[in-house]
Amino acid sequence: MYELIILGGGPAGYNAAERAAAGGLSTLVIEERALGGVCLNEGCIPTKTLLYSAKIFDYAKHSEDYGVKLPNASIDHAAVVARKDKVVKQLVGGIGMKMKHGGITVVNAHAEIQGRNGDVFTVKAGDETYEGRRLLICTGSSAAVPPIPGLREGVTSGFVKTNREILDMTTVPKELAVIGGGVIGMEMASYFNSIGSKVTVIEMMDHIGGPTDSEIAAILLKNYRKKGVNFMLGAKVTGVGTNSVTCEYEGKTVEVSADCVLCAVGRRANTAGIGLENINVLTERGAIVTNECGRTNIGGVWAAGDVNGKSMLAHTAYREGEAAVNDMIGKKDAVNYDAIPAVIYTNPEVASVGETSDTVKAKGLDAKVESFTLRYSGRYVAENEGGDGIVKIIIDKAHRRVLGVHMIGTYASEIIYGAAMMVEKQMRVEDVRNFVFPHPTVCEVIREGMFGI
Ligand code: NAI
């Protein structure tokens, strides 16, 4: 009998397991694939490994702009993928060690909730059945494959890849068609563009980057058009063949030839086949309904991470897992979904937190929005020939509190946590002005911006 059974060993599950074990709960984690989940095995970490190699290659290609001559720089994609595998193996092993040191039992099998007997839940994993007083469901999400004619067949034949398969491909496609210009689409378009593929991004909206602030998304688009990526915005994919994608674009039927297609049109919560119906856990549009500390409609059952369909980010999953465990052990906790930073690891990077100029308009908030060029930063100018990065600051006019910060440019991914604290703690412009920022850094522009808003 365990105090807690966790279904899924991704960021929500493994982090919650550590917190639960530290809080004195005997904990079992059931994971059918590898510890670390999508993030570590086929998401955040492998893509960042690939993108780092591409960044080095890009620097090499443009080294003369910085007075360095590196003629004949080349990239070995298969070697990059091999290094990615090494990085993933090391980190997955690290989580295994953490589980071991935390006294957490890990079972490698598919988990299915069987039912409930009084206060005790039963979960089947492989040939074994386990009993637990509490359940935490962290089964994550999978790539959505919409019913576009030929798309599923393409996945079966290998012509169409999702985030999973594209990371293991050791050959470089000559022509890559990317369906979806969201986070995965843009990160992968960035990588394959850097290493020499002819990339076409087919996006049904009139902009890339999903909910990214529209001014920032436009700068990102401009950068990637300049790098040679072809964008078809407002395009409707109508079919996938064996060497092309067909779309309705600008009133015409257009065929995009490709030797590889990436399908990156969003993700779906993994709620099927895990026995939710056996204990009547409530789902809505395929995701488990939870409150701000992860409680489901069933007492003793919590859910965290992508499976609740709320934010689908690894760092949200960590926090949700923690909030759920705190709730289990009687510590008051709640996730603040208004202050979750988001990053797109393109080159330049995009990072955001809080309200955008679009959301303040939609909500009718009385807000002030100002953009500042990153060229105010000496370090940015020193390191970015021709860089056009900006930081955009959004405050509420009445209290001058920071509602949102959005950036495009170097180090944005590392800077945004400071802005997230400003939003989370509802800091006022004057509060931020009183902090001393290090010099010379790119983040200084945020402080300087506070004097201009
Ligand atoms: P997404 O929601 O970011 O983007 C999907 C895009 O596909 C949207 O722009 C949408 O308009 C478009 N789309 C949908 N159906 C389409 C169709 N039939 N034809 C053309 N375009 C279509 O989803 P994505 O990129 O698949 O990423 C999935 C999740 O993974 C997201 O929640 C994302 O936040 C997360 N993720 C986070 C990363 C990060 O934090 N850096 C990296 C990669 C993924």
Side-chain angles (χ1 to χ4, degrees):
M1 169 77 71
Y2 290 90
E3 292 294 330
L4 172 63
I5 299 180
I6 301 180
L7 285 76
Y14 74 73
N15 189 47
E18 278 187 87
R19 299 279 86 80
L25 301 180
S26 59
T27 303
L28 166 69
V29 174
I30 309 173
E31 166 57 56
E32 63 183 329
R33 297 171 78 95
L35 283 174
V38 169
C39 165
L40 210 45
N41 295 282
E42 55 201 48
C44 317
I45 302 303
T47 52
K48 264 78 268 175
T49 313
L50 263 54
L51 286 165
Y52 187 67
S53 294
K55 196 186 269 184
I56 294 175
F57 186 43
D58 284 343
Y59 282 142
K61 283 189 278 188
H62 299 286
S63 60
E64 286 209 20
D65 294 348
Y66 301 87
V68 179
K69 287 199 169 69
L70 279 173
N72 310 322
S74 65
I75 190 161
D76 178 348
H77 174 60
V80 174
V81 173
R83 175 168 180 273
K84 178 269 292 181
D85 291 339
K86 190 187 79 177
V87 169
V88 169
K89 193 170 169 213
Q90 179 185 334
L91 294 171
V92 170
I95 293 177
M97 291 307 289
K98 274 184 169 185
M99 296 295 103
K100 204 169 157 195
H101 291 148
I104 297 151
T105 310
V106 178
V107 167
N108 189 209
H110 176 79
E112 190 172 343
I113 302 163
Q114 298 269 280
R116 177 180 198 155
N117 214 333
D119 282 347
V120 177
F121 297 96
T122 50
V123 180
K124 193 168 181 293
D127 297 332
E128 299 287 329
T129 300
Y130 298 91
E131 290 185 329
R133 293 195 193 284
R134 302 171 188 83
L135 298 180
L136 176 60
I137 303 167
C138 306
T139 46
S141 66
S142 308
V145 181
I148 294 169
L151 191 62
R152 287 195 183 148
E153 292 82 343
V155 173
T156 309
S157 74
F159 174 52
V160 178
K161 321 269 182 205
T162 68
N163 63 294
R164 179 175 287 171
E165 301 84 30
I166 195 136
L167 292 167
D168 289 332
M169 199 169 63
T170 49
T171 53
V172 182
K174 282 193 179 60
E175 296 176 306
L176 173 69
V178 177
I179 307 178
V183 192
I184 295 179
M186 282 310 300
E187 290 186 354
M188 287 293 98
S190 177
Y191 177 74
F192 285 101
N193 170 67
S194 290
I195 71 167
S197 300
K198 182 174 171 243
V199 180
T200 300
V201 174
I202 306 164
E203 165 60 54
M204 71 178 181
M205 312 279 273
D206 63 358
H207 62 270
I208 56 166
T212 304
D213 183 278
S214 50
E215 189 183 354
I216 302 261
I219 297 173
L220 184 68
L221 180 70
K222 196 178 98 198
N223 270 271
Y224 274 88
R225 279 201 164 129
K226 210 162 126 193
K227 285 171 190 256
V229 174
N230 177 33
F231 287 91
M232 294 168 69
L233 304 181
K236 184 174 187 292
V237 179
T238 51
V240 175
T242 49
N243 56 8
S244 67
V245 176
T246 311
C247 337
E248 295 299 322
Y249 179 56
E250 295 180 337
K252 292 190 279 272
T253 301
V254 179
E255 207 157 284
V256 179
S257 84
D259 52 345
C260 179
V261 176
L262 169 66
C263 175
V265 296
R267 302 184 66 81
R268 299 279 170 269
N270 292 331
T271 49
I274 54 170
L276 295 183
E277 59 287 355
N278 296 334
I279 53 167
N280 299 319
V281 174
L282 183 67
T283 60
E284 216 174 76
R285 276 179 284 131
I288 297 179
V289 178
T290 56
N291 73 356
E292 66 292 342
C293 57
R295 286 189 196 185
T296 68
N297 62 315
I298 303 295
V301 182
W302 286 257
D306 285 11
V307 76
N308 66 27
K310 286 185 185 174
S311 142
M312 296 216 171
L313 293 167
H315 44 279
T316 311
Y318 285 137
R319 184 70 191 95
E320 287 174 340
E322 280 164 15
V325 170
N326 281 338
D327 192 41
M328 291 174 203
I329 60 180
K331 275 193 203 165
K332 201 171 156 20
D333 200 356
V335 178
N336 176 8
Y337 289 95
D338 296 334
I340 292 177
V343 177
I344 310 178
Y345 290 85
T346 40
N347 185 13
E349 296 175 347
V350 171
S352 337
V353 65
E355 303 289 352
T356 66
S357 41
D358 313 284
T359 60
V360 290
K361 247 183 246 156
K363 292 180 186 174
L365 300 176
D366 194 13
K368 194 169 177 202
V369 180
E370 291 283 355
S371 300
F372 304 94
T373 171
L374 294 187
R375 288 191 293 268
Y376 286 159
S377 153
R379 185 177 189 190
Y380 183 80
V381 175
E383 296 185 3
N384 293 274
E385 272 301 318
D388 60 354
I390 63 164
V391 58
K392 201 161 170 179
I393 301 171
I394 299 173
I395 62 159
D396 75 302
K397 276 191 189 156
H399 304 100
R400 294 178 57 73
R401 290 198 182 111
V402 182
L403 296 178
V405 175
H406 307 272
M407 290 185 77
I408 178 163
T410 3
Y411 310 121
S413 58
E414 295 289 345
I415 294 171
I416 202 68
Y417 88 94
M421 289 182 186
M422 295 170 201
V423 175
E424 171 91 33
K425 291 292 168 203
Q426 304 193 341
M427 281 183 201
R428 293 165 60 249
V429 167
E430 287 67 25
D431 298 327
V432 182
R433 285 180 187 170
N434 290 341
F435 289 131
V436 177
F437 283 53
H439 174 78
T441 55
V442 177
C443 66
E444 285 178 289
V445 181
I446 296 183
R447 183 171 182 273
E448 202 159 326
M450 294 297 169
F451 286 92
I453 193 160

